[in-house]
């Protein structure tokens, strides 16, 4: 594994921190298919995205897991900004970097993500057809999630107060107050509305997989961008690349995977359901992760 720094060209002056994982027997005089791996909202590359990147490298791919702009070891102010448009652009910035590496086959670059990282991956693929195939694990379209709730039980119009709250936070920020924040996963066990999201607290805030660079919250000023954001916007026209989705049968978020399956223009699009798994199970349950990686590896080998 090699840690690298990627200077983006998106106008924000961000340097992205990333870890490259090399396949066994790596030879820098050869070229390899590559996969960009995006972390969940509130996560960092040392957690689930790094786990999937490492396991896919064993399958013969060069993989790269990175920290989003304003998060983890990547720079940018304000810290913990979760601007979905920049998160999507981050994926393409990492693809930019891969095209400069002589041992990467630039014609065979794929991308995958977990949770919100999967939604950002889909959005990047809509915009960037250098991405030839996409994988999604426990996919979340972060705009849908915050508009419609974890299980799609809230109407769009009921999310208007979130836009108003985020807009007011921008005013407070501009006036010099301490930047307001909101949790991306429950910050306390007692805040979790159900068992599945209690596991999100456990993953990010206990020894299960906590990391000092992943505080689990975002700036409140992120809300107006997120609420109106659709990671699958124009998927019915421009998302033509092959898609492999992996979700748990017990995941409250499964409807967001199914929504992309319906909307994408891709002629090759498939979902693999892991029996008994919920959203968080696919982050670190060994048997579930191994099943997901097996499905993704077979898919990427056939498509890259």
């Amino acid at each position: 594994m090699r840690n690298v720094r990627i200077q983006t060209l998106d106008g924000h002056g961000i340097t992205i921190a990333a870890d490259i994982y090399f396949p066994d027997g790596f030879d820098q005089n050869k070229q390899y298919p590559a996969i960009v791996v995006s972390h969940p909202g509130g996560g960092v590359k040392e957690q689930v995205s790094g786990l999937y990147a490492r396991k896919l490298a064993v399958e013969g791919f060069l993989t790269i897991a990175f920290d989003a702009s304003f998060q983890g070891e990547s720079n940018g102010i304000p810290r913990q900004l979760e601007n979905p448009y920049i998160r999507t652009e981050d994926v393409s910035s990492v693809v930019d970097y891969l095209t400069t590496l002589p041992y990467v086959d630039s014609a065979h670059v794929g991308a995958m993500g977990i949770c919100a990282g999967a939604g950002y991956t889909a959005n990047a693929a809509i915009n960037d057809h250098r991405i030839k195939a996409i994988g999604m694990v426990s996919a979340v379209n972060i705009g849908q999630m915050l508009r419609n709730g974890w299980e799609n039980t809230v109407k769009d119009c009921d999310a208007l107060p979130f836009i108003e709250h985020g807009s007011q936070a921008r005013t407070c920020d501009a006036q010099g107050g301490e930047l307001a924040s909101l949790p991306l996963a429950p910050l306390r066990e007692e805040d979790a509305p159900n068992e599945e999201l209690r596991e999100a607290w456990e993953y990010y805030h206990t020894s299960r997989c906590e990391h000092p660079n992943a505080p689990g919250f975002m700036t409140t000023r992120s809300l107006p961008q997120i609420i109106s954001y659709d990671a699958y916007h124009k998927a019915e026209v421009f998302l033509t690349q092959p898609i492999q989705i992996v979700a748990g049968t017990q995941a409250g978020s499964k409807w967001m995977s199914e929504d992309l399956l319906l909307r994408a223009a891709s002629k090759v699009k498939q979902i693999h359901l892991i029996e008994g798994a919920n959203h968080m199970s696919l982050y670190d349950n060994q048997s579930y992760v191994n099943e997901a990686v097996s499905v993704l590896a077979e898919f990427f080998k056939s498509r890259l």
Side-chain angles (χ1 to χ4, degrees):
M1 187 267 284
R2 179 185 304 161
N3 183 262
V4 298
R5 294 294 187 271
I6 301 168
Q7 182 62 54
T8 67
L9 300 175
D10 58 14
H12 297 284
I14 301 296
T15 301
I16 289 175
D19 291 335
I20 299 178
Y21 295 85
F22 298 95
D24 292 341
F26 173 73
D27 182 345
Q28 64 180 358
N29 295 312
K30 296 181 178 179
Q31 287 195 321
Y32 296 86
I35 302 171
V36 179
V37 186
S38 298
H39 63 70
V44 288
K45 64 186 182 304
E46 290 83 4
Q47 296 171 322
V48 60
S49 59
L51 174 63
Y52 275 84
R54 183 168 63 253
K55 285 181 173 289
L56 285 168
V58 173
E59 297 291 336
F61 302 97
L62 182 144
T63 61
I64 182 166
F66 66 96
D67 287 333
S69 295
F70 309 101
Q71 299 172 30
E73 290 185 311
S74 297
N75 68 356
I77 299 295
R79 302 305 297 166
Q80 301 310 125
L81 183 70
E82 184 78 12
N83 184 311
Y85 303 98
I86 298 175
R87 286 274 330 240
T88 294
E89 176 62 23
D90 285 345
V91 179
S92 287
S93 292
V94 177
V95 175
D96 290 345
Y97 172 74
L98 290 177
T99 67
T100 70
L101 301 179
Y103 42 80
V104 168
D105 184 346
S106 298
H108 295 88
V109 172
M112 67 155 289
I114 305 94
C115 189
Y120 296 135
T121 295
N123 201 189
I126 290 169
N127 303 326
D128 189 345
H129 280 238
R130 296 174 302 175
I131 299 171
K132 302 304 182 184
I134 68 171
M136 309 175 78
V137 174
S138 292
V140 162
N141 178 343
I142 194 169
Q144 283 183 322
M145 183 191 74
L146 287 181
R147 285 192 303 274
N148 306 127
W150 186 249
E151 297 179 336
N152 196 21
T153 56
V154 182
K155 295 179 180 179
D156 280 359
C157 60
D158 292 330
L160 181 59
F162 289 110
I163 292 181
E164 294 170 344
H165 181 56
S167 300
Q168 183 58 42
R170 292 179 63 110
T171 296
C172 294
D173 293 347
Q175 293 174 348
E178 182 178 351
L179 268 62
S181 63
L182 284 172
L184 277 164
L187 297 178
R188 302 179 304 169
E189 185 175 14
E190 57 266 32
D191 294 336
N194 55 47
E195 173 57 24
E196 190 171 30
L197 292 177
R198 190 205 67 80
E199 279 200 49
W201 162 80
E202 182 180 83
Y203 182 86
Y204 285 110
H205 300 296
T206 74
S207 58
R208 177 171 169 180
C209 204
E210 65 184 342
H211 192 278
N213 289 343
F217 62 82
M218 68 177 181
T219 58
T220 305
R221 66 183 290 114
S222 304
L223 274 177
Q225 285 81 18
I226 292 175
I227 293 296
S228 59
Y229 173 77
D230 178 14
Y232 307 156
H233 180 62
K234 291 297 181 181
E236 65 276 10
V237 179
F238 300 123
L239 184 51
T240 59
Q241 300 96 316
I243 303 169
Q244 176 65 66
I245 300 170
V246 180
T249 59
Q250 303 305 307
S253 58
K254 181 163 66 71
W255 65 277
M256 287 177 275
S257 292
E258 295 167 339
D259 185 46
L260 182 66
L261 200 65
L262 288 172
R263 292 169 63 179
S266 311
K267 293 182 179 179
V268 176
K269 50 182 178 177
Q270 52 210 24
I271 186 168
H272 177 85
L273 296 177
I274 297 183
E275 188 62 39
N278 66 20
H279 183 93
M280 299 304 302
S281 301
L282 299 184
Y283 283 36
D284 62 349
N285 179 291
Q286 184 173 338
S287 63
Y288 294 153
V289 169
N290 287 343
E291 183 176 341
V293 169
S294 176
V295 170
L296 290 165
E298 181 180 354
F299 166 74
F300 281 123
K301 286 175 183 177
S302 69
R303 299 295 168 182
L304 291 183

